[in-house]
Amino acid sequence: MTFHFIEPHYLWLLLLIPFVLATGLFGARRLSRRRLGISLVLRTLITTTLILSLAGAQLITPFAATTTIFLLDGSDSVALSQRARGEGFVQQALANMPTDDRAGIVVFGAQAQIERQPAADQTFGQVISQPPGSATNIAKAIQLGSAILPAEGAQRLVLISDGGETSGDALEAARQARAAGIPIDVLELTGAADGLDAQVVGVDLPATTRAGQRPRMRITVRSNTPTTAQLTVTGPDGLRVNQQIVLPATEQHLEVVLPEPPSGFNRYVVRIQVAGDTRAENDAIEAFTFAIGRPRILLIEGIAGEATQLMAALKAAGLEAIVLAPAKAPRQIAELAAFDALILVNVAKRDLPDSTSSAISAYVHDLGRGLMMVGGPQSFGAGGWRETPVEAALPVSMDLPPMLRIPPVSVVVVIDTSGSMGVEEGGRTKLSLAVEGAQRIASLLRDEDELTVIPFDDAPRDVVGPLPGTQREEAIRALEKVQVGGGGITIHDALVEAAKYVRASTKAVRHIITITDGSDTTQQEGAIEIVNGLHAEGVTLTTIAIGQGEDVPFIQNAARVGGGRTFLTEQASTLPALLVDETQAILRPYILEQPFTPTLGPPHPALRLRGAAPNLQGLVLTTPKERSQVLLATPDGTVLLAAWQYGLGHSLAWTSDLT
């Protein structure tokens, strides 16, 4: 027996009792001695009683009885014999219960139900509660049992279960019961069936599939006794699998390739049928998959016909693919979102709309789509993709491999200064735009390179250079003095003049760029022979034609003979960018032309190589990024195929061509 105070902080008022005694002693002098004593005792008792009342004084007498709540597992995983064992335990415990004790019963499965409130009755009849047996939630049983325990007396829970928890958190519920001072005893039941028990343990099926694909279903089955069973898989179109299987007394994994599912949500039921199975409730499992349309692939090809082989391969794989020219590419991310993957086949940056280039990064990173760049003379660094959003999305950078030694370059630029170059476009003359391009070339020079610019109509005028890269600023200032001349450019004499400078150069790489009017390039006779002779000496030639004039076929043929490229433009405003792209390709020789046999990197889902890799003739030089995986490479380690994840999407870089 103990005293307990609800509001013990009021006990400080007991310090007032001496004051009460003093007041009574000195304030009642006319009373007799006997009456004064009685008065002081009464005052003290009354004051003390009031103070103890304020403090909430309680006299607590221990309650010796114990209340026990039995938590009885009624889920389907408990065999009938084991359930009978548990009920027998409860019945025996009640029969031996002391007369002052009380007991209650909670039956649980997926939910928990009160079978009997705490009572002193020692009899136990048939269990009436039937909670759903498809799951086992021990946590709910512990919580309900704790809730119906009375506040007085000793408390305890007795868990009678096989412990096969399928929902809830029994450990957390047990911790909470322990914190409340409620111990939990356990009687373990086994989950073994009373007889033969074959069951479908699990089914693994892709959550999404594509139209045209046959999804693979992985089925796990188990039996406690070796037997045979009939396995059936029922799908949206009826029975899909019906076969007899042998079940050993261990877990077994089966794989079934299902027929192509219809578009939309698909439900499958996997079932095994075994004669004499004592538990039919675990013989079936449902699985679901959502089938969406065929993957749509967008191919953008820089040169007409270059994606033909890749297009045929994609269609043979059951994919839907379309080919567009760069000018017709989707310009907004919403338009790109209609495709699951984008493949750039030898596409130069200058040919693709800027809005498309900007949208590609978000298309991969944010929408989780796929991107692949295919090599060629107009792709990767050779195509001007350096320092662009597309480069950020690819697993390679456009930087040249650090071990590559780049030889010094001599660039000779022949600029048409004839009268037609004085025509204004957007407030600027064609010549001023060509000169700006030449100035950008000067700014790109390395110190070991050299530049010569030959303004020419019927004769060279104000030639700049040859100047080394260390004097790039001087070259830029000198080009500001170039003026428009008269007549058309006499291309034969211009090439003779250019040949004089390149032949005098000692640089390892020598290259000529001509910028002429497409309809005013005169004196063509003998010019091709000069180009052919220079090419035999290792000098290459690139031609740029402004306008679709009658001289364009000659300009194109000159570049073909000279081993360079031809750029045709209707707008002179594109000249600076064209010259920058061409110069970068010259100063950084991205194209490697030599036969090699690829070496295989680590395994990756993107590559399933059967047999030896084929011999290839060349590739575009790139550098793999830090987190990328190099799947194929040249024997010296140069990247051929690389992959990585970019945000939510993935991208591939194939640095050779696919012609």
Side-chain angles (χ1 to χ4, degrees):
M1 182 183 300
T2 58
F3 267 106
H4 178 75
F5 297 96
I6 299 175
E7 303 286 348
H9 54 275
Y10 283 111
L11 293 177
W12 69 269
L13 294 174
L14 292 173
L15 298 175
L16 298 176
I17 292 177
F19 178 76
V20 172
L21 292 174
T23 303
L25 184 63
F26 296 104
R29 295 177 179 266
R30 290 173 295 175
L31 297 177
S32 65
R33 191 182 201 110
R34 182 171 174 275
R35 294 182 66 185
L36 177 61
I38 294 172
S39 173
L40 291 176
V41 170
L42 290 175
R43 288 179 185 223
T44 302
L45 290 175
I46 292 171
T47 304
T48 302
T49 302
L50 289 173
I51 294 172
L52 293 177
S53 298
L54 287 172
Q58 293 179 332
L59 182 63
I60 299 177
T61 302
F63 186 77
T66 299
T67 301
T68 302
I69 305 297
F70 296 95
L71 311 178
L72 188 58
D73 192 341
S75 63
D76 295 340
S77 63
V78 179
L80 293 177
S81 61
Q82 290 295 307
R83 191 173 303 178
R85 176 182 166 224
E87 292 176 3
F89 174 83
V90 175
Q91 186 174 14
Q92 185 179 3
L94 291 176
N96 298 325
M97 182 174 64
T99 54
D100 292 337
D101 286 357
R102 291 174 287 181
I105 301 173
V106 170
V107 181
F108 67 94
Q111 302 293 331
Q113 298 177 359
I114 299 174
E115 171 69 17
R116 160 180 157 156
Q117 290 283 359
D121 188 1
Q122 293 179 305
T123 62
F124 179 70
Q126 184 178 1
V127 175
I128 299 174
S129 301
Q130 292 184 342
S134 58
T136 303
N137 194 321
I138 299 174
K140 286 188 176 180
I142 294 174
Q143 292 164 358
L144 182 57
S146 301
I148 65 176
L149 282 168
E152 69 278 359
Q155 305 168 326
R156 72 170 182 152
L157 300 176
V158 178
L159 175 63
I160 305 171
S161 172
D162 64 353
E165 181 182 40
T166 59
S167 61
D169 189 343
L171 290 177
E172 178 58 29
R175 280 192 286 267
Q176 293 176 3
R178 180 181 178 181
I182 305 172
I184 301 177
D185 297 319
V186 177
L187 173 63
E188 184 179 357
L189 304 178
T190 66
D194 295 328
L196 172 63
D197 180 24
Q199 58 180 302
V200 182
V201 179
V203 175
D204 185 16
L205 183 67
T208 59
T209 58
R210 291 282 189 177
Q213 293 180 337
R214 301 184 62 188
R216 293 178 179 270
M217 175 182 284
R218 185 176 173 84
I219 305 170
T220 303
V221 293
R222 180 193 303 147
S223 176
N224 60 359
T225 304
T227 185
T228 58
Q230 194 69 23
L231 173 67
T232 61
V233 179
T234 305
D237 296 333
L239 191 65
R240 290 299 193 179
V241 176
N242 186 10
Q243 65 185 58
Q244 191 175 62
I245 59 174
V246 176
L247 293 178
T250 56
E251 197 167 272
Q252 183 179 5
H253 301 287
L254 307 172
E255 189 171 273
V256 176
V257 180
L258 299 173
E260 177 185 342
S263 296
F265 188 76
N266 294 276
R267 171 178 172 268
Y268 295 88
V269 179
V270 180
R271 187 182 304 275
I272 56 173
Q273 296 174 320
V274 180
D277 194 345
T278 58
R279 283 186 182 170
E281 61 270 12
N282 59 16
D283 291 350
I285 286 184
E286 294 183 343
F288 306 91
T289 187
F290 188 79
I292 53 182
R294 293 178 181 272
R296 301 188 69 216
I297 314 297
L298 173 61
L299 289 84
I300 301 177
E301 57 179 7
I303 300 174
E306 194 149 7
T308 302
Q309 303 295 335
L310 181 56
M311 180 76 167
L314 293 173
K315 287 189 173 181
L319 306 180
E320 181 183 335
I322 64 171
V323 179
L324 294 177
K328 296 183 179 180
R331 295 172 181 264
Q332 304 298 328
I333 191 170
E335 299 174 81
L336 285 172
F339 299 93
D340 296 282
L342 169 66
I343 304 179
L344 301 174
V345 184
N346 193 23
V347 178
K349 178 187 178 298
R350 63 177 175 275
D351 295 334
L352 202 65
D354 290 339
S355 57
T356 303
S357 300
S358 301
I360 288 175
S361 178
Y363 167 80
V364 180
H365 188 279
D366 300 332
L367 297 187
R369 302 297 204 270
L371 170 67
M372 180 177 182
M373 181 174 282
V374 176
Q378 298 188 139
S379 65
F380 295 104
W385 290 106
R386 195 167 187 267
E387 297 180 355
T388 64
V390 173
E391 182 189 31
L394 289 171
V396 296
S397 70
M398 308 308 157
D399 295 328
L400 293 173
M403 75 289 294
L404 185 70
R405 299 188 64 180
I406 304 173
V409 177
S410 173
V411 181
V412 176
V413 182
V414 177
I415 300 178
D416 180 359
T417 60
S418 63
S420 61
M421 293 292 287
V423 176
E424 289 193 0
E425 182 182 294
R428 297 186 61 183
T429 63
K430 295 179 181 180
L431 180 61
S432 68
L433 292 166
V435 168
E436 180 187 336
Q439 290 174 321
R440 292 192 187 183
I441 292 175
S443 66
L444 292 172
L445 292 178
R446 299 164 300 177
D447 290 351
E448 62 270 25
D449 299 326
E450 72 178 12
L451 172 67
T452 305
V453 181
I454 306 174
F456 209 102
D457 46 14
D458 57 359
R461 306 179 187 279
D462 303 320
V463 175
V464 176
L467 292 175
T470 54
Q471 295 179 255
R472 58 182 67 86
E473 296 299 329
E474 180 181 334
I476 291 172
R477 288 193 298 270
L479 286 167
E480 294 175 354
K481 301 177 182 179
V482 177
Q483 301 293 326
V484 177
I489 183 172
T490 53
I491 191 64
H492 177 277
D493 292 346
L495 289 171
V496 170
E497 186 72 12
K500 182 172 62 177
Y501 285 97
V502 295
R503 284 174 173 147
S505 175
T506 59
K507 304 299 181 184
V509 177
R510 296 170 295 169
H511 189 71
I512 300 173
I513 303 174
T514 64
I515 307 170
T516 62
D517 194 306
S519 58
D520 198 17
T521 305
T522 61
Q523 201 189 32
Q524 298 174 9
E525 186 176 353
I528 296 299
E529 286 73 12
I530 296 174
V531 173
N532 191 44
L534 288 171
H535 190 244
E537 299 173 28
V539 179
T540 52
L541 172 73
T542 289
T543 59
I544 299 176
I546 305 173
Q548 293 286 351
E550 59 185 11
D551 297 326
V552 166
F554 163 79
I555 295 171
Q556 291 176 318
N557 188 42
R560 183 185 60 79
V561 173
R565 298 187 291 178
T566 297
F567 298 98
L568 305 177
T569 178
E570 294 287 347
Q571 297 179 324
S573 58
T574 63
L575 282 174
L578 289 175
L579 286 167
V580 167
D581 287 349
E582 177 65 9
T583 304
Q584 286 180 332
I586 299 165
L587 299 181
R588 296 181 175 89
Y590 288 102
I591 308 298
L592 176 66
E593 293 283 0
Q594 67 180 39
F596 66 92
T597 301
T599 58
L600 188 62
H604 192 276
L607 181 65
R608 188 179 298 137
L609 188 62
R610 294 173 179 169
N615 293 328
L616 298 175
Q617 301 302 313
L619 49 72
V620 184
L621 295 170
T622 60
T623 299
K625 294 180 180 176
E626 184 176 352
R627 293 184 294 106
S628 67
Q629 289 182 271
V630 178
L631 311 183
L632 288 171
T634 64
D636 64 1
T638 304
V639 180
L640 173 61
L641 177 64
W644 80 339
Q645 180 171 341
Y646 181 65
L648 299 177
H650 296 80
S651 66
L652 292 169
W654 172 263
T655 60
S656 189
D657 61 29
L658 286 177
T659 55

